Amino acid sequence: MHLFPNTRIFVSFGSLEIAWYAVLILTGALCAYLLCQRTMKKWGYAPEVLDDYVVPMLFIGILGARAWYVIFEWNYYSSHLNEIVAIWNGGLAIHGGLIAGAIFSLFFFKKRNISFLRMFDLIMPTVLLAQAFGRWGNFMNQEAYGGIVSESFFAHYPAFIKNQMFIDGAYRMPTFLFESVCNLLGFLFITFIFRKHWYKRRGDCGFMYMVWYGITRFVVEGMRTDSLMVFGLRTAQLVSLALMVVGCLGLMGVFHEAFHWKKKPIVLFDLDGTLIDSQQLVFETFRRVFKELKPDYELSNEELYSFFGPTLEVTFSKYFPEDQVQSIIDRYQVINKSLHKDLLKEVPHAKEMLEGLKEQNIQCAVVSNKRIEVVKRGLKQAGLDGYFKVVLGKENLPEPKPSASGLIEACNLLHTSHDDCIYVGDNVADIVAAKNMAAYSVGFSVDEKQREALDKAHPCKVIDDLMQLVSLCKEDRIWSDNTIW
């Protein structure tokens, strides 16, 4: 085995050689994959979604980049057909890869019922990072360089760059380095500055990529001596101009208006304290259970409030031996059912709010940690049961809240993605559940003490009247938590 036998080869095993070009492109792709996978997990997507995407995407992107290069160098390749597949010698045109990749991505995410624009925002900034690595592959292949410069030009450059830029008897401008640095700066800018301060619509980060890379490539391409040409013009500069124009129009919102990209959210609700006022019912049920089964213990108001959100198993396991918990839950259910008629009531404006959402053709569902029989009984008694296509209780949830799995399951049953989803709840567990899939979280409560707790969980919005939800859903905004990447 010989390490670095020449600048093009990373490692060789006899006749088997692995080129630096391939190593650096794959390294860039791996970095982009890991960053995207990290965010996809925060957004509630299974790892296999990106796994199924990235391998064919990488293959199609390379194929498109090679095809683009070969088409514009056909005078050479028409006489050297055997070299068309020799990508290890360089000759990948990124614009061809971008076009092929965009077409594949449109079909892939549409088939998976995932927002293409949301993935556009996620993936494209990481492409800049991958491109920053890829340009070093050009460096190792001694390609993508500029015109002749004097030796003094490299006075402040590392020696290895200077030496590698000595090509055909002269020093060449390291345009690969200029583009690599600009790509890295673009990745950092979009990821840490643009996304935080100027991200307004789905697609903005992707369009910002087009503007940034368009400008970068246009300027750097003007310095290169190996440009692909069409009708005497530099192909990459023409495409870069197109990228800049499309990117600017996208950032201005032109395409959102033209293609009606404004999305209606689906709205998921917690039950207790959100749609039905069960506070007195729950308080009284717990008081009676403790009076009957733990008569020497007096519950405080703080404890009673803390019972909203966690499952009964979690709550009772704090006060009773594990082997008694199920029998105590059964007793709780009996007492709770007997008090329903007298103590359970509809939250003010709940029905009017649901009518308002129905008029907007917004799909709604209920996701609760309560048993499904109790959930349906409560909705029926409050006269709200006719508004929901999907109702999930404890038995239907893969995991109880604050896991987001129940919310995601509700979206699946509504045959829609969870990219544009509002979850409305009255306690911290509801807000955490929404954040665990980066949904747009709405904290609702008419109780000042509960609103203080909700504020600390940092929901996207806090309301004190359910009718505010009707006007909220009419707004043109991104229906996800934009702080979660």
Side-chain angles (χ1 to χ4, degrees):
M1 183 180 81
H2 305 285
L3 278 174
F4 314 122
N6 61 57
T7 57
R8 289 175 178 262
I9 306 303
F10 171 69
V11 65
S12 63
F13 303 88
S15 60
L16 177 64
E17 297 178 338
I18 299 176
W20 270 108
Y21 196 68
V23 169
L24 288 163
I25 286 177
L26 291 175
T27 299
L30 178 61
C31 290
Y33 164 80
L34 292 173
L35 288 171
C36 289
Q37 191 66 280
R38 176 174 173 269
T39 299
M40 290 284 278
K41 182 179 179 181
K42 292 181 180 180
W43 289 355
Y45 283 103
E48 50 265 28
V49 173
L50 198 61
D51 292 343
D52 292 344
Y53 169 78
V54 72
V55 174
M57 174 64 206
L58 185 60
F59 175 77
I60 290 170
I62 292 174
L63 189 64
R66 184 59 172 178
W68 187 274
Y69 184 84
V70 169
I71 288 170
F72 287 98
E73 290 288 328
W74 185 244
N75 286 338
Y76 174 81
Y77 285 104
S78 61
S79 303
H80 302 82
L81 297 178
N82 61 310
E83 294 186 29
I84 290 178
V85 298
I87 62 172
W88 48 87
N89 291 326
L92 297 179
I94 185 63
H95 290 131
L98 291 174
I99 293 170
I103 294 171
F104 170 74
S105 299
L106 276 169
F107 284 100
F108 180 89
F109 291 118
K110 183 177 182 180
K111 185 177 180 181
R112 295 298 183 98
N113 202 18
I114 297 172
S115 168
F116 168 76
L117 288 178
R118 195 180 193 191
M119 296 301 108
F120 188 47
D121 287 331
L122 170 64
I123 294 169
M124 296 316 295
T126 68
V127 170
L128 279 171
L129 181 62
Q131 289 174 263
F133 277 94
R135 281 306 176 200
W136 285 91
N138 297 136
F139 167 72
M140 301 305 293
N141 277 355
Q142 292 186 310
E143 59 189 6
Y145 51 80
I148 295 174
V149 295
S150 65
E151 184 176 2
S152 62
F153 180 89
F154 290 97
H156 301 291
Y157 284 76
F160 75 95
I161 291 180
K162 172 186 172 182
N163 295 336
Q164 187 71 352
M165 286 293 97
F166 190 76
I167 303 168
D168 295 333
Y171 288 103
R172 306 286 178 161
M173 185 177 293
T175 50
F176 86 92
L177 179 61
F178 302 158
E179 187 173 330
S180 180
V181 170
C182 287
N183 288 341
L184 179 59
L185 290 175
F187 164 74
L188 295 173
F189 169 73
I190 297 174
T191 302
F192 297 106
I193 300 176
F194 178 85
R195 203 159 62 189
K196 182 177 181 180
H197 298 288
W198 295 294
Y199 182 58
K200 296 178 181 179
R201 305 179 189 90
R202 286 267 168 87
D204 278 1
C205 287
F207 290 128
M208 189 65 236
Y209 162 87
M210 296 175 77
V211 173
W212 185 283
Y213 184 63
I215 294 172
T216 295
R217 185 61 186 271
F218 185 88
V219 173
V220 173
E221 192 69 20
M223 305 177 191
R224 287 175 55 169
T225 59
D226 61 343
S227 299
L228 299 176
M229 307 295 287
V230 58
F231 303 122
L233 301 173
R234 296 175 189 261
T235 305
Q237 286 191 318
L238 293 176
V239 177
S240 294
L241 281 173
L243 284 177
M244 285 185 273
V245 171
V246 173
C248 287
L249 291 175
L251 290 173
M252 293 165 61
V254 172
F255 299 123
H256 283 77
E257 296 295 331
F259 296 103
H260 306 289
W261 282 348
K262 180 180 177 180
K263 292 281 291 183
K264 291 181 180 179
I266 61 169
V267 184
L268 311 180
F269 293 91
D270 176 44
L271 181 68
D272 285 341
T274 305
L275 293 172
I276 59 176
D277 184 353
S278 59
Q279 185 180 89
Q280 293 308 313
L281 170 64
V282 172
F283 283 3
E284 183 60 24
T285 304
F286 273 112
R287 288 192 187 105
R288 293 196 183 191
V289 168
F290 274 76
K291 184 177 181 179
E292 182 179 314
L293 302 174
K294 204 176 182 71
D296 296 331
Y297 191 90
E298 185 174 349
L299 290 169
S300 66
N301 284 334
E302 287 74 15
E303 287 175 301
L304 288 169
Y305 276 106
S306 73
F307 295 160
F308 282 92
T311 62
L312 292 175
E313 287 84 352
V314 171
T315 297
F316 284 128
S317 65
K318 295 178 181 178
Y319 298 91
F320 298 94
E322 193 67 34
D323 59 349
Q324 297 180 20
V325 168
Q326 188 55 53
S327 62
I328 294 169
I329 290 174
D330 293 340
R331 183 58 184 155
Y332 174 96
Q333 300 291 354
V334 171
I335 295 173
N336 185 270
K337 185 176 182 179
S338 69
L339 296 173
H340 254 69
K341 186 175 181 180
D342 295 328
L343 297 181
L344 187 68
K345 55 185 178 180
E346 171 200 339
V347 167
H349 303 148
K351 189 171 293 185
E352 295 91 331
M353 175 271 297
L354 290 170
E355 282 290 343
L357 296 184
K358 185 178 180 181
E359 290 174 3
Q360 296 183 50
N361 295 316
I362 290 176
Q363 296 188 88
C364 298
V366 173
V367 181
S368 172
N369 278 346
K370 285 182 141 329
R371 293 184 178 183
I372 188 64
E373 183 267 333
V374 176
V375 173
K376 290 183 175 180
R377 184 170 67 240
L379 288 172
K380 185 175 182 179
Q381 185 167 325
L384 305 177
D385 51 324
Y387 293 97
F388 304 101
K389 293 183 177 181
V390 172
V391 177
L392 301 182
K394 174 192 169 186
E395 301 91 330
N396 314 116
L397 308 185
E399 295 179 50
K401 295 177 293 182
S403 166
S405 59
L407 281 65
I408 295 172
E409 177 66 12
C411 295
N412 292 337
L413 293 172
L414 289 171
H415 305 292
T416 185
S417 74
H418 64 266
D419 291 313
D420 297 280
C421 176
I422 297 174
Y423 187 56
V424 188
D426 69 314
N427 62 70
V428 172
D430 296 323
I431 305 305
V432 174
K435 287 183 175 293
N436 283 337
M437 58 181 264
Y440 190 92
S441 53
V442 175
F444 163 73
S445 182
V446 296
D447 186 291
E448 185 176 346
K449 189 178 182 68
Q450 279 186 290
R451 282 204 304 274
E452 289 178 3
L454 287 171
D455 283 332
K456 293 178 181 178
H458 304 294
C460 298
K461 191 174 184 64
V462 176
I463 61 176
D464 56 13
D465 187 324
L466 286 177
M467 287 304 293
Q468 293 172 257
L469 198 60
V470 177
S471 56
L472 174 66
C473 289
K474 294 178 180 178
E475 296 179 9
D476 183 9
R477 62 165 63 242
I478 300 169
W479 298 114
S480 56
D481 193 331
N482 295 330
T483 65
I484 298 174
W485 289 87

